[in-house]
Amino acid sequence: MNRNLSQTTASILSVLFSILASSHHWLHMGILLLLGGSTNMMAAMSGVIWVRRTMILMTFVTALFSIYRLLKHRCREYWVIAITVVSVLVSFSFIIYTLANFGW
């Protein structure tokens, strides 16, 4: 019973972290808006290049790590594979969008 609970918890946490990793850009923007973000604040944030570059790199590393873990463990669960693939695609889409609109 305890082993099943542990496996279930690990699976649920994996899915939650996957969703969080692919949506952290939206979370950051939502937090900025809730904290009184204005046009001036957003313009100031776009001037902080190192933050943007760090976010791009960390999104890329997280997506690659997700692929690595999926392949290393030879996962056969369709829903885990599907969520990981969607998460990686969303992450790479964010990277491409950011690079196309704001550059490196």
Side-chain angles (χ1 to χ4, degrees):
M1 174 84 175
N2 193 16
R3 181 180 164 106
N4 288 338
L5 181 62
S6 175
Q7 289 176 341
T8 302
T9 304
S11 296
I12 291 171
L13 287 176
S14 176
V15 170
L16 290 176
F17 287 142
S18 177
I19 292 169
L20 181 63
S22 65
S23 63
H24 77 272
H25 287 91
W26 294 107
L27 292 173
H28 288 188
M29 294 308 294
I31 289 169
L32 285 174
L33 289 172
L34 288 174
L35 293 175
S38 64
T39 305
N40 291 335
M41 180 134 181
M42 296 303 167
M45 282 303 292
S46 66
V48 185
I49 294 173
W50 68 270
V51 172
R52 181 173 64 232
R53 289 180 180 169
T54 302
M55 288 178 68
I56 290 170
L57 289 174
M58 291 311 297
T59 301
F60 187 72
V61 168
T62 303
L64 289 180
F65 185 72
S66 295
I67 293 170
Y68 167 76
R69 296 287 294 176
L70 189 65
L71 295 175
K72 181 182 178 200
H73 292 290
R74 305 278 183 200
C75 181
R76 302 213 191 291
E77 305 256 352
Y78 175 74
W79 67 274
V80 173
I81 294 170
I83 288 175
T84 303
V85 168
V86 168
S87 174
V88 168
L89 290 175
V90 169
S91 295
F92 284 147
S93 297
F94 280 136
I95 291 171
I96 292 168
Y97 174 80
T98 301
L99 291 174
N101 288 309
F102 303 107
W104 176 246

